[in-house]
């Protein structure tokens, strides 16, 4: 009996201990769930894939005059081919004629290449990939690795100052024709890029796309002025100015180029043909040699009568008489004028929200979403509302982007609001192509003296998902 009673007591005591432990355990609250992961950091979604969103002809076809429609289409097609023509010195190696004496490339389409003919820099730089320094026997010994890279943008170099300290600002071509098999006897040397880089006297520019520029050319000055005036109060509240570059001859607004330095597509084409490829033409009829080039070097590097590009009196037939009789630069301008603007793909909820954010933070105050062309020679380009995301005005971009070059009324740190249409398929950003990252390009707008500082501050204050929405929207353009 006693033994059984003792066992009974011990068993009950154990049960009481287990029960108390159980009660204590059940009274302990469960651990809190882990916090949700932070939203991913905003990032550039990258170059939009799929078919090119630009590169075709504008819808000049209006279905009221089939014969006229066919002429427009043939003109564009032929002009596009001329834009892709490759030049050699005297037309003996390549069909094109007039390359050099100094040059950055041998075809318009070499630089204006991505995502299709008429765009900007391709992913692989043809200046390096095609070995322009030694193409066709050329002897260009200067090391350009601090300027060009295989996976970097097509670039041109401008010098800020002359040796005497006076303003330069002009393009100094990367290559010369010296040593080429079609330039026997030329001794023209490359510029001293090493000294210019060491003295921080060299700045870079990359090609601007030409898509949709007919609409820009046919937009009246009054429309640009009214658009800028419509945002004056909101711009002033954010410390944003804005003014137009103008033509020194007639005072009208200039709108093409990084600093809006060129008045028309014809002038834009003529200057580029002469400066970037060395081809003299009816707008720029003189060969271009560096200042101080000895007379004997000029003589041994000049191979053609000038101008090298002219109206053709007995052309070959391409199917477009307008193109056949016209000079190269007239064809280049026609190609740009009749090129369709880029097509956006904005559709997702994120992109649509980003479109609203774009306006809310103030981006649209410089990158105007809409403008309207005026009366134009081509009916389909007349009175068209288009979406360039630019006001085509000059703005101070601060010390971080200043290139210390003056062009017309555009000063050291002033640039035209870069049109953002087509940005979704662009690879390199800012005037010198310094970054392929859209986020870095946006943040690069902020520096001492920049009109964009308050806008960038507002962007940085956004929650990460809204920043991402804005980036997604820009990549949809």
């Amino acid at each position: 009996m006693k033994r059984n009673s003792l066992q009974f007591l011990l068993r009950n005591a154990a049960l009481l201990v287990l029960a108390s432990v159980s009660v204590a355990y059940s009274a302990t609250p469960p651990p809190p769930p882990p916090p949700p992961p932070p939203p991913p950091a905003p990032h550039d979604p990258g170059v939009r894939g799929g078919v090119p969103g630009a590169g075709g002809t504008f819808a000049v076809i209006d279905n009221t005059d089939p014969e006229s429609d066919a002429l427009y289409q043939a003109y564009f097609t032929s002009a596009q081919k001329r834009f892709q023509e490759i030049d050699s010195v005297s037309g003996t190696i390549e069909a094109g004629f007039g390359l050099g004496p100094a040059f950055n490339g041998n075809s318009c389409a070499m630089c204006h290449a991505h995502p299709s003919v008429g765009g900007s820099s391709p992913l692989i730089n043809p200046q390096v990939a095609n070995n322009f320094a030694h193409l066709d026997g050329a002897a260009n010994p200067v090391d350009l690795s601090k300027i060009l890279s295989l996976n970097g943008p097509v670039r041109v170099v401008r010098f800020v100052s002359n040796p005497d300290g006076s303003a330069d600002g002009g393009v100094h071509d990367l290559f010369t024709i010296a040593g080429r098999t079609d330039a026997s006897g030329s001794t023209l040397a490359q510029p001293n890029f090493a000294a210019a880089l060491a003295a921080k006297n060299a700045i870079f520019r990359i090609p601007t796309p030409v898509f949709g520029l007919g609409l820009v050319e046919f937009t009246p000055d009054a429309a640009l002025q009214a658009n800028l005036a419509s945002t004056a109060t909101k711009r002033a509240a954010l410390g944003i100015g804005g003014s137009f570059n103008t033509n020194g001859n007639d005072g009208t607004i200039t709108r093409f180029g990084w600093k809006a330095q060129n008045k028309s597509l014809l002038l834009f084409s003529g200057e580029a043909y002469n400066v970037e490829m060395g081809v003299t033409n009816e707008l720029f009829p003189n060969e271009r040699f560096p200042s101080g080039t000895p007379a004997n070097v000029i003589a041994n590097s000049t191979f053609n009568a000038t101008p090298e590009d002219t109206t053709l009196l007995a052309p070959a037939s391409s199917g477009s008489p307008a193109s056949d009789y016209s000079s190269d630069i007239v064809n280049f301008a026609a190609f740009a004028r009749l090129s369709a603007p880029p097509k956006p793909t904005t559709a997702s909820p994120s992109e649509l929200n980003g479109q609203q954010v774009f306006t809310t933070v103030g981006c649209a105050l410089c990158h105007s979403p809409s403008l309207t062309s005026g009366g134009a020679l081509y009916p389909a380009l007349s009175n068209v509302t288009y979406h360039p995301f630019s006001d085509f005005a000059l703005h101070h971009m601060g010390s971080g982007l200043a290139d210390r070059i003056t062009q017309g009324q555009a000063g050291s740190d002033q640039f035209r609001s870069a049109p953002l249409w087509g940005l979704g398929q662009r690879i390199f950003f800012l005037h010198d192509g310094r970054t392929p990252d859209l986020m870095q390009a946006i943040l690069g707008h902020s520096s001492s003296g920049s009109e964009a500082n308050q806008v960038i501050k507002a962007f940085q204050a956004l929650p990460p998902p809204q920043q991402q929405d804005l980036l997604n929207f820009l990549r949809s353009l």
Side-chain angles (χ1 to χ4, degrees), residues 382-408:
S382 294
N383 306 309
V384 173
T385 297
Y386 62 102
H387 308 287
F389 292 91
S390 174
D391 57 10
F392 297 96
L394 300 172
H395 295 276
H396 290 280
M397 298 312 301
S399 58
L401 291 179
D403 66 359
R404 297 171 292 143
I405 299 292
T406 296
Q407 292 181 280

Side-chain angles (χ1 to χ4, degrees), residues 218-263:
F218 292 132
T219 300
D221 285 12
L224 294 175
Q225 291 162 341
N227 175 69
L228 191 64
S230 70
T231 62
T233 301
K234 291 180 179 179
R235 283 187 290 108
L238 293 177
I240 301 173
S243 61
F244 291 108
N245 210 341
T246 55
N247 182 275
N249 293 319
D250 65 0
T252 55
I253 293 174
T254 53
R255 57 198 74 184
F256 302 111
W258 279 106
K259 296 209 173 199
Q261 68 269 19
N262 282 323
K263 170 64 188 175

Side-chain angles (χ1 to χ4, degrees), residues 5 101 123 311 360 368:
S5 297
L123 179 61
T311 302
T360 301
S368 301

Side-chain angles (χ1 to χ4, degrees), residues 102-315:
F103 61 97
N104 290 313
N106 61 2
S107 167
C108 299
M110 184 207 87
C111 296
H112 299 276
H114 186 84
S116 59
V117 175
S120 188
S121 293
L123 179 61
I124 303 299
N125 186 348
Q127 294 169 306
V128 178
N130 295 343
N131 194 20
F132 274 103
H134 304 293
L135 185 66
D136 297 321
N140 288 274
V142 174
D143 179 13
L144 299 175
S145 61
K146 292 184 179 180
I147 300 172
L148 305 176
S149 64
L150 183 64
N151 298 115
V154 170
R155 276 176 164 166
V156 304
V157 180
R158 290 178 182 266
F159 286 178
V160 178
S161 303
N162 291 308
D164 63 3
S166 61
D168 183 344
V171 172
H172 289 254
D173 291 314
L174 297 168
F175 313 108
T176 79
I177 59 175
R180 282 178 57 103
T181 56
D182 56 354
S184 178
S186 174
T187 57
L188 181 64
Q190 290 170 277
N192 189 343
F193 291 117
L197 290 167
K200 301 188 185 309
N201 192 44
I203 63 98
F204 310 135
R205 298 268 180 89
I206 65 172
T208 59
V210 304
F211 304 133
L213 293 189
L215 291 167
V216 179
E217 186 171 52
F218 292 132
T219 300
D221 285 12
L224 294 175
Q225 291 162 341
N227 175 69
L228 191 64
S230 70
T231 62
T233 301
K234 291 180 179 179
R235 283 187 290 108
L238 293 177
I240 301 173
S243 61
F244 291 108
N245 210 341
T246 55
N247 182 275
N249 293 319
D250 65 0
T252 55
I253 293 174
T254 53
R255 57 198 74 184
F256 302 111
W258 279 106
K259 296 209 173 199
Q261 68 269 19
N262 282 323
K263 170 64 188 175
S264 68
L265 290 172
L266 184 59
L267 185 61
F268 184 73
S269 300
E271 180 188 357
Y273 210 22
N274 183 236
V275 170
E276 309 295 352
M277 295 173 62
V279 181
T280 58
N281 54 75
E282 290 169 316
L283 283 180
F284 293 82
N286 304 112
E287 291 285 14
R288 186 171 176 271
F289 286 91
S291 177
T293 302
N296 67 308
V297 175
I298 292 176
N300 67 35
S301 301
T302 301
F303 293 89
N304 306 314
T306 59
E308 292 154 317
D309 172 43
T310 65
T311 302
L312 300 176
L313 301 180

